[in-house]
Amino acid sequence: MHTNETSHTKSGFTATDGVHATKAQRAGTYNRADLLEIKTYMESHYDEPLSIAQLAKMANISPKYFVDLFKKTFGQSAMEYLTDVRIRHAKRYLAESEERLRDIARKVGYKDEFYFSRKFKKEVGVAPSEFAKNTRKRVAACSPSAIGHLLALNIIPQIAPLDPKWTPYYYNLYSSEIKSHLILTSPYYKLTFETNLGRLSQAHPDVIIGSERLQMSEDNRLNSIAPVHYITDQKGWRDQLLDIAAYLDKEAAAQQWIRNYERKVQAAREQLSASLGRDRILVLRIYRTQMFAYRNRGLQELLYDDLKLRPAGSRELHSHLPMALQELQEINPERILLTICPEASTRKFWLALQHSAEWKQLQAVRNDHVYMINADPWFEYSAVAMARMLDEALLLFTGNCPNILPDNDYGESLAK
């Protein structure tokens, strides 16, 4: 599409000459908010044949500088992001309508349905026709981590545990698409088995993705409803995802997800290395009137194995033993990730701690390098949770996040 006065007026951008753009580039005054406007424009005009030249002109910078700046800011190129947006909308059409492939291709910006089909399979791991067929299969998830794995395989479960407090991400984005809601009764995701068993029975799933922690009697009752595939706790999330994928005949989608995750990790390492240097990271949990060096499987794998960040103190700090403020001062980390339990005594302790001289003297506090994290997603262990934590780590430490999405399937956001 050739840029014209109408499109510029609609987007709110105006073009200036190249001399002005070059001066802005040399001065280093380009505002990241302008790029966010370009990104928003792409999200609402994805069905048009957008080009780098057009987008750069709208941003009032040269095409080369636009390409470099967009990738540096969002961790991927503008065309890669445009593909993501198009594929995301294509998935919706495939899952929710009976339209012909040719019409769906045109609706998401591709004139050639065969090119669209090849592009879709490359990005998602399965052909559009297979994706449409699989999305109509009735799959039940018995835990939030099972939801996170299924979404990575482009499967929205029809039955799953949702709670606005403990799983707000899944609840807010999928409560209308997940037809039958199972119950979560605690932050540790233990289901009220009898109630949920009745709901599973009424929903008539084709398969159930469950936890191997069930007792034998519970296992037998679940299997009487539908075949059950269990997530093996001893395996890492990649192998868990591959196991589920093999069971559901979605190996290509799982492999594609893992490849994309590794690519994003590599890009994130480079960005974080530039931002953090040799800074040490401590994850701190406050519960009631005590502090703990917090660690869990997913958090440790992301921060220290995938991103190669430096832990403050030993990685084996005892998370079940309270940490005195003096011990925290001795460690004196450059960066602190902080999680605070949401109950009254904890909040009271945290309020007092913030005003203490010992807390204020910590270099992480002095440099404004204390970052709040929530149980969702940092306490979950699944493919989608790991990807969300990766995005949040980038956002917290650099201010940049490649996957700021306005709407629903997170599995779509990482399929890049």
Side-chain angles (χ1 to χ4, degrees), residues 181-316:
H181 297 183
L182 302 181
I183 300 172
L184 287 173
T185 57
S186 82
Y188 304 103
Y189 307 137
K190 294 178 181 178
L191 303 178
T192 302
F193 186 76
E194 292 299 328
T195 301
N196 286 331
L197 192 72
R199 294 186 181 185
L200 282 167
S201 181
Q202 293 174 1
H204 303 293
D206 297 312
V207 297
I208 299 171
I209 307 300
S211 168
E212 65 177 0
R213 300 175 188 175
L214 291 177
Q215 299 176 3
M216 182 66 70
S217 59
E218 296 172 338
D219 172 59
N220 292 336
R221 296 173 71 185
L222 271 184
N223 273 286
S224 69
I225 296 173
V228 183
H229 178 81
Y230 293 104
I231 299 174
T232 305
D233 292 337
Q234 286 73 25
K235 292 184 176 181
W237 70 265
R238 294 170 180 81
D239 287 332
Q240 290 178 358
L241 181 66
L242 290 168
D243 283 352
I244 297 172
Y247 182 73
L248 298 175
D249 195 26
K250 300 278 286 183
E251 292 95 332
Q255 291 164 358
Q256 181 71 29
W257 174 275
I258 293 171
R259 283 194 298 270
N260 291 332
Y261 176 83
E262 300 297 349
R263 178 171 58 83
K264 286 192 168 294
V265 164
Q266 183 59 42
R269 281 182 195 160
E270 297 174 3
Q271 294 185 58
L272 291 174
S273 176
S275 297
L276 301 183
R278 299 286 293 169
D279 286 1
R280 298 164 303 139
I281 312 295
L282 177 68
V283 184
L284 194 64
R285 177 174 180 257
I286 296 179
Y287 178 62
R288 294 185 176 172
T289 60
Q290 294 178 318
M291 296 184 295
F292 302 84
Y294 181 74
R295 59 191 178 96
N296 65 37
R297 190 179 185 184
L299 188 150
Q300 293 218 137
E301 287 181 12
L302 174 76
L303 296 181
Y304 308 127
D305 297 334
D306 292 345
L307 296 177
K308 308 298 183 187
L309 302 182
R310 297 182 67 213
S314 169
R315 279 187 62 173
E316 304 307 318

Side-chain angles (χ1 to χ4, degrees), residues 88-106:
R88 183 168 75 242
H89 286 280
K91 285 180 177 179
R92 287 206 181 125
Y93 288 126
L94 288 165
E96 299 171 6
S97 75
E98 300 291 337
E99 294 186 77
R100 295 180 303 176
L101 189 60
R102 178 189 308 170
D103 297 328
I104 291 176
R106 289 176 178 171

